[in-house]
Every structure is written in C-alpha cells, then in structure tokens.
Amino acid sequence: MIIKGGLLALPGKQELVRSNVRVADGRIAEIGTDIVPSQGEDVVDADGLHIFPGAIDPHVHFDTPGFEHREDFTHGSMAAARGGVTTIVDMPCTSLPPVTSVKNFKEKFSHVGKASVIDFALYGGVSGHIADECIRTNMAELAPYVVGFKTYFISGMDTFTQINHYDFARAVAKAHEIGRPLLLHAEDLDYITHATRAVQDAARALVAAGKAPAPVEAAGAKPVAGYGAAGPAAPGTWADYVAARPEAAERVAAATALMLAHGHESALHVVHVGTAEVAVFLAAGGATCETCPHFLAFSSADFDRLGASLKTAPPVKSPGHAERLWKLLADGSINFVTSDHAPAPDEEKHTGSIWTDYGGIPGTGTLFPYVYSEGYRAGKLTLPRFLEVISTGAAQRFGLAARKGAIEVGKDADMVFVDPDATYVVKGDELLSKGSITPFEGMRLRGAVEKTYVRGAPVWDSTDGIVVEPGNGTYLQWGYK
Ligand SMILES: [Zn+2]
C-alpha cells in the first residue's frame, strides 16, 4: 500500500515534508517522493492531509475487569483511536484483581487480551498492603509482561493502597535493577490528610453557623469505590477540594520520592504533574515526568464554571501553572503528555458532594487533538518537540521505541491523518468512551483527526467510524520489535 500526497511529520524535521509512504506487512517500508505503485498495489490519497505518528497515551484507566460501568477496554480503545491514539498503556490498579502478580496479570489478560481495537501494553503495580511480596518476588516475575510499575503515595482504593517510604525506596531500587520505570502518583498522604481535615472542619462550622448550606446527596448516590474515591460526605466548595489537595502536597511527595530514589533516579517517573516547580525539580534530579491536557488547559479558577466535570485527582492547579507547564514541556523538563483517562458515569460524577464526586475524566480522545491544536498549531511546541511529547517520548520511556513512536522505515505504520483546515469541537457524547462528562466539552480546536491507522490498516475514520473488531489491537511487551 502507498499513502500518497500528504505532508508527513518525520523525526528530526523542522517542517512537514511532502512525501509518500509505502506500507508493507504493517510496517513502514519506504518513504520518498519517487515511490511508484507496483501492479495492483493499493494507493491511499492523502492530498490535503497532514500525517503524524500515532499518538501514544501511556496513562489510561480502562477498568477491565471490575469497574466496567465506568469504562471498558473496548470503549476506551475506540475513544483513543477516534482521537488519533494508536497505543495505550493501561494502569494496573483500576481493575480487579489489580496487576500485582503474574497470576493477577493472567486473570486480567484473559479479559483484555482480545478487547482492544488499538495496540496496548500494561503496567504492573506495587500495592502498599503487599509491598514486601511485590518487591521480593512479583516485580521481577512480572517484568516480562509489563512496561513499568505503578505506586501511590496516596490512594483511595481498598484494593491498591499507598506505599510507605521505606518500601518505596526498595521498590525504586528493584525497578532500576530489573530495568523498568517505577511510576508514582505524587501527593503526600500526611499533608492531604491534615489539609482535608482542616478544610472539612471549617466547612462544617460554616454550615453549623447557618452560613453555608448542608450538602444534599443526589438521589441514589452511592459511595464511590475504586480510583478517585474521596473522603467522607461533608459540606464543601470546589475551593475546599483544591485546598484539601494543594500544590504543596505534590511538592512534598515529589521531593520525597526523588530523595528516596537516590542512586536510582533514572527509574523514577512521576505521573500527572500539575505543579511547575515539581517538574523543574524532577528534571534537575534525573527523573522523568508527564503532565496532562487538563493541567495545560485549566486552572482551579475554572471549577466555578465546570464543576465536577473538571474533578481529577490530583486537581488542576492555581492560575499561572499551565503557562509554565507549556514552557517546561517545550524545553524538555516535562517528558511527555498523557491523558490519565478515567471516566465515570453521571451518578458518580454528580453525587451531591464535591468530596464524593468521582475524580477522573475521559481524556484519551482529546489528548492528541488538544496538544496538536494548543501546543503545535498555537506555536507553543515546535514540530520536533510535538512529536516527542505526543509519541516518541513515551515509546522511549516504556520500551516500545524499536517499533513505535515515529514515522520511520522499519517501524509500525501507526499514523494519524489530520485535516489541518478543519475545526474540531469536542462533544463528550461523541468520544466513543463510556464516559461523556469532560471539561473539554464545547472546546473548539484547530485541525480534525480524519483517519487513524494501526500497523498500516485503518481503525477509525471520520466517515465510517471504527472499522475493526475488538481484538485488532496487539499486546506489546517491553522491547517489542
Ligand atoms: Zn491515573
């Protein structure tokens, strides 16, 4: 097959290049202006379109098996494909059982192995309640199956608990030894526990004094279990939620993590960083980190307008951080962008209390469109840097770069076709995710994804939608080549 007439985003090039691509056996076989179709060879006309490497989203919660009322692997992967993502890496904690042993991995794989429409890899995890067993045996046993290990300094999940400092230091040393990154949700438990208590006490006092309304629980509201679970029902405003999980909690956690990783800093990867100082500190210390579109697009000042649709854990930061995060992304201090895709149904997003509303949003479908429009097209990211933050960087960090992350001869033909002149208006109920409540609702973005190809075959296009069956996606292991 030949893809003809498009402008290509090639590694190392400062501008898009008009050229043709020959795809054979799912891989990029040839790139050049003088490629001529052989007898009977298919030709795809990409005239007027810009072609980018498929985006890689290495931070999603597809919730299979166990929490499929929020998201499942098939819907999550369809939403990813619709947004130009061709490879995802799924977190170990929001499925039952969590991926903390080979036995649990096999259980999860029996559910997800044939469920994805795009390529996927999995993380293992080190849960606090079984940390010793994980560090002594399970991490090394799981290493062939996973591309990293997730840990939490604070967790709302009964089935995947936070790790103590001693075990974290052991886990990062083990990760270094076995050659996998250790991922950390960096918010300090002690700080947040006390901040939350103080904020909730003050809110209760206001209610008792008749100066604020008591919370009204939504009809049929259930306590939220699993990822994003929050504290007890209490009165509160969105400002209270932000004050209960402040930037200081992220600074303390990241500093602690880097010090505990002493000697093994290169194994540390901090997820969903929203606080600019944290990214600066981690980069200087030799660790890697990611940020997410919601931290780049919104601030805590947007809660009044957007409410629970903006609730994530950690929350978006105070005004000013987003502008600095863009600069840190541009200069390489932040390595790449991920979605932290974690949708939930309306009854969990709007429970009547800001404390129990689910903390998570469907993000994998807006990742590429947002960063393409507001990063690359808006001039905040150069073309080479855009390619790194949307694809190459994650491929390199998670052991997939031999075949993923660039339009290059020998690599998988994972590509996004973008109509640069179109406008994409985000609509939650068109994302193909099970979750439709997004803070990006109604946002107008430059350019629109027209087609998504995985290993040389179309998976989604703007006319026919998803054109493959679940199971189209290949399971990727570290070092995939
Ligand atoms: Zn997450």
Side-chain angles (χ1 to χ4, degrees), residues 206-381:
L206 278 179
V207 171
K211 290 177 181 161
V216 180
E217 286 213 350
K222 288 180 296 224
V224 176
Y227 180 78
T237 63
W238 287 111
D240 291 335
Y241 176 61
V242 173
R245 296 186 87 133
E247 288 145 24
E250 190 171 65
R251 293 198 301 268
V252 172
T256 303
L258 190 63
M259 293 302 122
L260 291 171
H262 185 67
H264 312 294
E265 290 89 346
S266 64
L268 174 62
H269 176 75
V270 177
V271 298
H272 50 50
V273 169
T275 307
E277 297 80 9
V278 166
V280 173
F281 180 78
L282 291 170
T288 60
C289 72
E290 67 191 39
T291 191
C292 311
H294 44 280
F295 295 115
L296 296 164
F298 304 107
S299 77
S300 51
D302 292 310
F303 270 115
D304 284 343
R305 182 170 59 90
L306 297 170
S309 76
L310 185 57
K311 184 178 178 183
T312 56
V316 296
K317 307 308 181 200
S318 54
H321 280 277
E323 290 73 10
R324 295 171 64 199
L325 292 176
W326 274 118
K327 291 196 175 83
L328 294 164
L329 200 53
D331 76 16
S333 302
I334 297 172
N335 299 77
F336 42 83
V337 184
T338 74
S339 73
D340 196 9
H341 179 90
D346 183 58
E347 63 269 24
E348 291 188 355
K349 283 299 281 180
H350 297 100
T351 62
S353 165
I354 59 111
W355 301 107
T356 49
D357 290 347
Y358 188 81
I361 61 174
T364 196
T366 44
L367 172 70
F368 179 93
Y370 176 76
V371 181
Y372 167 84
S373 172
E374 302 310 297
Y376 169 55
R377 291 288 297 277
K380 294 191 183 85
L381 302 175

Side-chain angles (χ1 to χ4, degrees), residues 113-131:
K114 296 270 179 257
S116 181
V117 301
I118 59 165
D119 289 356
F120 67 100
L122 299 175
Y123 292 115
V126 182
S127 175
H129 71 293
I130 49 165

Side-chain angles (χ1 to χ4, degrees), residues 54 80-86 118 415-417 449-454 457-461:
R82 195 245 170 278
V85 172
T86 52
I118 59 165
M415 293 172 285
V416 198
F417 294 51
V449 174
E450 283 297 314
K451 300 170 200 256
T452 304
Y453 274 59
V454 173
V459 170
W460 180 86
D461 77 54

Side-chain angles (χ1 to χ4, degrees), residues 34-186:
D34 51 358
I35 301 174
V36 194
S38 47
Q39 187 83 36
E41 190 171 18
D42 287 340
V43 177
V44 174
D45 181 10
D47 203 29
L49 298 177
H50 295 179
I51 303 176
F52 293 84
I56 297 178
D57 185 357
H59 188 158
V60 302
H61 300 265
F62 283 176
D63 297 340
T64 304
F67 299 102
E68 287 118 322
H69 67 288
R70 293 184 188 134
E71 185 61 294
D72 64 33
F73 234 78
T74 299
H75 284 84
S77 67
M78 293 194 307
R82 195 245 170 278
V85 172
T86 52
T87 296
I88 59 94
V89 190
D90 187 54
M91 285 293 169
C93 41
T94 39
S95 51
L96 296 174
V99 184
T100 49
S101 65
V102 170
K103 179 172 173 285
N104 288 3
F105 164 82
K106 288 184 172 161
E107 169 66 18
K108 174 164 173 168
F109 195 76
S110 73
H111 294 270
V112 307
K114 296 270 179 257
S116 181
V117 301
I118 59 165
D119 289 356
F120 67 100
L122 299 175
Y123 292 115
V126 182
S127 175
H129 71 293
I130 49 165
D132 188 61
E133 177 192 329
C134 288
I135 296 159
R136 278 205 277 170
T137 57
N138 301 6
M139 285 177 75
E141 288 172 7
L142 267 171
Y145 304 98
V146 300
V147 298
F149 292 88
K150 180 79 180 287
T151 57
Y152 285 77
F153 273 175
I154 184 170
S155 162
M157 299 167 289
D158 298 335
T159 49
F160 198 101
T161 60
Q162 61 265 357
I163 192 167
N164 66 52
H165 292 167
Y166 173 68
D167 286 335
F168 181 80
R170 296 170 65 208
V172 75
K174 175 59 73 174
H176 189 258
E177 179 193 322
I178 63 179
R180 297 287 182 278
L182 190 79
L183 284 68
L184 174 69
H185 177 127

